[in-house]
Amino acid sequence: MDSDERMSIYKATRCIKKKQNSIYNALRSIYEDSVFVSEIAGLWPDLPLVANLRCGLWYSSQFESTCYFKSTDGHSNNCSFSTARLNLHLAQLAGQRGGCIVVDSTRKGKRFPDSMSKTIPIWACVLNRAIARRLKRRFQDDGELELKSFSSEIAENGEISISWDCSLHLPLWVLGTEKAAIENRLEEWTNQLEACGADIDFVISSLRKPLRPLWISQRSLIWLNEVPDYDSWDFTPIILVSASATNGIIQQRTTSEFSWHYIPGAGDDEESWARGLSPQLFWKHAFDIIDSGPDMFNQKVSEIVEKERVYRSQRGEVLPQVIAKHHKSRESASITDKQSDISCQLVNSEQQCSSINIKSSENECYLSWIGPTSVALCRTCHVEDVSHGVDCLLNCDSKSVSFCSKSDSSYLHLPIVTSKLDRFSLMNNLSSAIDFAKQNLSKQRKLLICCHDGEDISVCVCLAIITMLFDEKGSFDGGKSFTDTSITKLEMRKRLVFVCKFAINARPSRGNLRQVFGFLSRERESEPTSHCAHGL
């Protein structure tokens, strides 16, 4: 009897939790929080609105760009600076426009996610320090500046308008001991940034004032008649907006028609609740979705997702079908079937890159050419749009695509899956990818590499090709320089930074990068005198 009672309580608790975390509650919460984001964006209408992937992408339909700062890089007593996520395009955009507004959120009851509390402040400080170093060397080499008069001389020469602030700016709620620990590592991280080969001059060309974060949440007090002009500040503001309200208690909200449970940071972990709905689709049909109410909500979302799937499949874009069960009550809003979860993850990944209205010129093009290498990256769904500009295609998606190949050697399909599904899929296919790339690049052909999102697997394959077949300057040499290259983590960072400089949406996973490093290390160690393994 006691066992039955415990099971009943357990089932009741699960039922309540599932009901509270339903897709209707999630999207209704996002819709409510988006009003606050719009209000903040309206205070500084000239500043670009930027989404921090992936959670922040849900809170507006007017994003001009995206960035990628992970909260794990800012966890307490475990902070780090990632050279794989430099986000230099964000610094350039802020410099060009006088600042930017970054949107993110968190479910953990905090006012700000760790990505905003520590990751972005660390990033801004390290970048400021690297810029200051570069400017000091530049003026010292020209004989125009002594170290002690650094600030004043720069102002007189017109290079930058004020003294360059290299201090660490953290929010007040970060403990002093943790701030001291971070400051002790700033020199180390600055050295890593310089050693990885990041193009600091690229940032200096547009950034006139040092970067500095500011924090705004729904608990912030802003007097509308006293909103400061960002041009008057002696720094380039990175305004960090945490979209969700956090008061630490369960919030049951009621409108004239429906009652619903508020979820802070509802845009997080979209695979578990979105059911194939992307931010783009949501904002395209936001009013219809919200007005459908909790009872008809699941059916409405299923119809929208299915229509989008059919629409895109008719244009040659293969998308998995999402299993949607209309007949269940709203308590079953979260997908419980494992296969459906995977399908939804694929749909979200497929649509995510196109889910915002990109206005910057760098993102309007579907194709990312990697400098002078004749190698380009794109998503699988865009191959048909850009195939006229390339000579050969290396398809790393699980699905085949149509490609008008000029010869049998112009197309290769390698169905590679992410490291979460197969820890060796990428490593086992890299040899074939390298051979195919060398065969075509040696004939001065333009090579296109694609995968389902254009951000992970294709980037890792490109990294392996660039490392094995190109020298440090990005010139094709068929693998000659690779025989003299020491495959270290630092060397991998340099090559990855080179790729990410041109593919700014690149987000290679750690598991896939490990496979690339393992493959390159194995190839380098095996018979270095024999023009490399596998035909190199």
Side-chain angles (χ1 to χ4, degrees):
M1 185 65 181
D2 292 341
S3 177
D4 292 339
E5 289 180 357
R6 283 196 296 270
M7 287 298 295
S8 297
I9 294 173
Y10 172 77
K11 289 181 180 179
T13 303
R14 288 291 302 271
C15 182
I16 293 173
K17 185 176 181 180
K18 184 181 291 186
K19 181 178 180 179
Q20 291 177 345
N21 293 329
S22 69
I23 183 174
Y24 179 79
N25 289 334
L27 292 180
R28 189 62 193 256
S29 302
I30 290 171
Y31 185 79
E32 292 290 319
D33 291 335
S34 70
V35 176
F36 168 70
V37 173
S38 298
E39 291 175 350
I40 299 302
L43 297 179
W44 296 281
D46 295 332
L47 295 184
L49 196 63
V50 181
N52 189 31
L53 298 174
R54 295 179 306 165
C55 180
L57 198 60
W58 286 89
Y59 290 94
S60 178
S61 60
Q62 301 300 320
F63 288 115
E64 295 193 28
S65 186
T66 63
C67 58
Y68 188 42
F69 294 97
K70 295 187 69 173
S71 289
T72 52
D73 293 332
H75 282 178
S76 297
N77 301 317
N78 194 32
C79 295
S80 62
F81 175 82
S82 174
T83 54
R85 294 177 289 275
L86 289 178
N87 292 288
L88 295 184
H89 68 285
L90 179 65
Q92 186 193 36
L93 179 63
Q96 292 172 342
R97 303 283 290 275
C100 65
I101 302 173
V102 179
V103 178
D104 202 353
S105 186
T106 179
R107 279 192 180 188
K108 295 184 177 181
K110 304 176 182 178
R111 288 181 62 186
F112 292 87
D114 287 339
S115 61
M116 289 184 164
S117 294
K118 282 166 280 189
T119 305
I120 295 179
I122 289 172
W123 167 82
C125 180
V126 171
L127 197 55
N128 284 335
R129 290 167 62 92
I131 291 173
R133 282 187 184 181
R134 186 65 56 89
L135 290 173
K136 287 180 182 180
R137 295 192 192 107
R138 178 186 297 176
F139 284 95
Q140 285 178 329
D141 291 343
D142 293 341
E144 299 178 7
L145 176 71
E146 293 183 2
L147 187 61
K148 61 182 180 181
S149 58
F150 170 56
S151 300
S152 59
E153 284 292 325
I154 289 181
E156 291 175 8
N157 289 330
E159 286 292 321
I160 53 179
S161 59
I162 42 82
S163 59
W164 205 259
D165 182 12
C166 297
S167 57
L168 176 66
H169 296 278
L170 292 174
L172 297 177
W173 55 85
V174 176
L175 297 177
T177 53
E178 187 168 11
K179 180 179 180 180
I182 293 173
E183 288 176 331
N184 290 336
R185 299 195 62 187
L186 289 175
E187 188 73 11
E188 171 193 346
W189 291 331
T190 306
N191 293 336
Q192 288 180 2
L193 176 59
E194 290 188 324
C196 76
D199 191 354
I200 304 300
D201 293 328
F202 166 76
V203 180
I204 293 176
S205 63
S206 59
L207 196 64
R208 314 304 297 177
K209 302 176 184 178
L211 299 168
R212 181 169 176 176
L214 301 174
W215 296 268
I216 296 179
S217 72
Q218 293 199 30
R219 292 169 58 185
S220 301
L221 297 178
I222 301 177
W223 300 102
L224 297 182
N225 61 338
E226 298 180 4
V227 176
D229 184 0
Y230 62 88
D231 285 336
S232 65
W233 292 333
D234 59 356
F235 54 86
T236 302
I238 306 294
I239 301 175
L240 306 179
V241 178
S242 182
S244 297
T246 54
N247 57 8
I249 62 174
I250 296 176
Q251 300 183 48
Q252 194 72 22
R253 301 190 180 184
T254 303
T255 63
S256 58
E257 297 181 5
F258 314 113
S259 63
W260 51 283
H261 176 78
Y262 176 77
I263 304 174
D268 196 16
D269 193 23
E270 61 193 34
E271 291 88 359
S272 64
W273 60 266
R275 302 189 66 172
L277 196 68
S278 68
Q280 179 192 35
L281 275 181
F282 169 62
W283 286 109
K284 185 177 180 180
H285 305 279
F287 294 108
D288 291 338
I289 291 176
I290 297 299
D291 291 343
S292 63
D295 293 329
M296 300 299 296
F297 193 81
N298 289 339
Q299 181 176 348
K300 189 67 177 180
V301 169
S302 300
E303 290 174 354
I304 291 173
V305 171
E306 179 62 14
K307 285 181 181 179
E308 179 72 5
R309 188 189 70 84
V310 173
Y311 174 84
R312 297 179 67 181
S313 64
Q314 289 175 346
R315 285 152 180 78
E317 302 176 22
V318 180
L319 293 180
Q321 185 171 0
V322 177
I323 300 174
K325 302 177 181 179
H326 304 176
H327 60 279
K328 287 194 176 183
S329 61
R330 61 188 178 188
E331 288 86 24
S332 62
S334 299
I335 296 176
T336 56
D337 181 73
K338 185 176 182 180
Q339 183 177 357
S340 299
D341 281 336
I342 296 175
S343 297
C344 287
Q345 182 176 355
L346 292 174
V347 172
N348 279 321
S349 298
E350 189 71 25
Q351 295 174 345
Q352 182 167 312
C353 189
S354 62
S355 60
I356 55 178
N357 179 24
I358 297 296
K359 298 180 182 177
S360 62
S361 59
E362 288 181 310
N363 289 293
E364 288 177 348
C365 182
Y366 296 142
L367 210 59
S368 297
W369 287 102
I370 309 303
T373 63
S374 296
V375 178
L377 301 176
C378 81
R379 298 170 63 213
T380 306
C381 61
H382 293 149
V383 167
E384 187 176 349
D385 299 324
V386 300
S387 59
H388 61 278
V390 298
D391 302 310
C392 49
L393 174 66
L394 174 55
N395 177 18
C396 303
D397 199 348
S398 57
K399 302 290 185 179
S400 181
V401 296
S402 59
F403 178 72
C404 298
S405 58
K406 301 176 178 60
S407 64
D408 294 338
S409 62
S410 298
Y411 177 75
L412 177 63
H413 180 208
L414 298 175
I416 304 174
V417 297
T418 184
S419 59
K420 291 184 178 180
L421 301 177
D422 186 342
R423 292 187 300 165
F424 303 102
S425 177
L426 177 59
M427 181 181 293
N428 293 337
N429 284 281
L430 279 178
S431 179
S432 299
I434 297 293
D435 289 341
F436 176 78
K438 182 180 180 182
Q439 179 182 0
N440 286 278
L441 292 172
S442 62
K443 298 176 182 178
Q444 297 184 342
R445 294 176 175 175
K446 295 180 180 179
L447 171 65
L448 175 62
I449 307 172
C450 69
C451 66
H452 74 281
D453 59 5
E455 301 173 353
D456 187 1
I457 294 176
S458 58
V459 172
C460 291
V461 172
C462 178
L463 175 62
I465 291 173
I466 296 297
T467 304
M468 290 195 69
L469 302 181
F470 292 81
D471 61 20
E472 291 184 352
K473 297 181 180 179
S475 300
F476 177 78
D477 62 7
K480 294 180 181 178
S481 61
F482 182 72
T483 59
D484 300 324
T485 300
S486 176
I487 302 302
T488 62
K489 290 184 178 180
L490 176 59
E491 183 63 28
M492 281 280 293
R493 284 197 201 105
K494 290 181 179 179
R495 300 301 177 107
L496 181 59
V497 167
F498 175 76
V499 172
C500 292
K501 175 182 177 180
F502 303 99
I504 61 174
N505 290 324
R507 294 191 294 152
S509 64
R510 182 176 299 179
N512 287 337
L513 288 175
R514 285 177 177 173
Q515 292 184 66
V516 174
F517 181 73
F519 171 81
L520 294 175
S521 300
R522 184 184 66 192
E523 293 297 298
R524 181 63 185 85
E525 293 173 359
S526 62
E527 302 184 38
T529 59
S530 62
H531 63 281
C532 299
H534 302 290
L536 292 180

